[in-house]
Amino acid sequence: MAEAFNDLTLSADKATRYAEVAEEIASVLDGENNLTARMATVASMLANSFDSYFWTGFYVVDPLKERELVVGPYQGTLGCLRIAYGRGVCGAAAATGETQLVPDVHAFPGHIACDGRSQSEIVVPVFGPDGQLIAVFDVDSDQPAAFDETDQLWLEKIIKTTFA
């Protein structure tokens, strides 16, 4: 199915586009249980569906380091390798368990500049079937205020459907 996705013409309307991509992600991942494969597919398909996405990927809870995230599957420039809970936007999402919607990363207290071109960011916590945090899904844009409530609604829906 992934090959068919590459040729799919997506709607210009953002909410409709998210719905189309969500359907394709579910189709591609049907029957695939490997967590890394699921994360890599979500990051790739979303990164290739939205022009405003500059960096798209996962920071995974490190089972060997308490309250620390380690970079997982992603699309984009080099990411930070490790992020402590509570540090930066990703760390805030991990510590609070809540989505962080940040229109201006430079105004976010403790923002980590993995790539200085980043202007706005949205980070969604990823919970496993047992309700435990397994990762955060991070999307950066090189445009200010690139994300809104529509992005938050659909990214939360895609992440929950894919990993819970």
Side-chain angles (χ1 to χ4, degrees), residues 46-48 50-57 74-78 114-121 138-143 146-147:
L46 283 168
N48 286 293
F50 294 91
D51 292 336
S52 61
Y53 283 29
F54 174 73
W55 194 97
T56 309
Y74 70 91
Q75 302 281 308
T77 60
L78 183 64
C114 299
D115 187 312
R117 294 173 287 178
S118 223
Q119 298 294 316
S120 58
E121 188 169 1
D138 179 20
V139 184
D140 290 26
S141 178
D142 59 359
Q143 303 165 25
F147 309 108

Side-chain angles (χ1 to χ4, degrees), residues 3 5 9 18-19 29 33 35 43 54 56 65 72 95 105-106 108 124 126 129 140 144-145 147 151 155 158 163:
E3 294 79 19
F5 176 75
T9 301
Y18 269 116
L29 291 177
N33 295 320
L35 190 58
F54 174 73
T56 309
K65 297 233 179 174
V105 295
H106 305 292
F108 191 87
V124 178
V126 182
D140 290 26
F147 309 108
D151 298 285
L155 289 174
I158 289 167
F163 297 101

Side-chain angles (χ1 to χ4, degrees), residues 56-91:
T56 309
F58 292 86
Y59 283 96
V60 181
V61 173
D62 187 337
L64 304 177
K65 297 233 179 174
E66 188 174 344
R67 298 181 55 80
E68 190 167 281
L69 302 167
V70 62
V71 71
Y74 70 91
Q75 302 281 308
T77 60
L78 183 64
C80 296
L81 295 181
R82 294 187 170 273
I83 300 173
Y85 282 34
R87 186 163 178 252
V89 183
C90 289

Side-chain angles (χ1 to χ4, degrees), residues 1-2 4-6 8 10 17-35 37-50 53 56 58 137 139 154-163:
M1 186 58 136
F5 176 75
N6 292 330
L8 186 66
L10 297 170
R17 179 175 290 224
Y18 269 116
E20 292 165 350
V21 174
E23 185 178 318
E24 290 298 315
I25 288 171
S27 177
V28 169
L29 291 177
D30 186 37
E32 179 55 63
N33 295 320
N34 181 276
L35 190 58
R38 294 179 80 74
M39 288 181 179
T41 300
V42 168
S44 174
M45 291 179 76
L46 283 168
N48 286 293
S49 297
F50 294 91
Y53 283 29
T56 309
F58 292 86
F137 181 65
V139 184
W154 278 99
L155 289 174
E156 287 175 347
K157 184 182 287 194
I158 289 167
I159 294 301
K160 182 176 183 180
T161 301
T162 304
F163 297 101

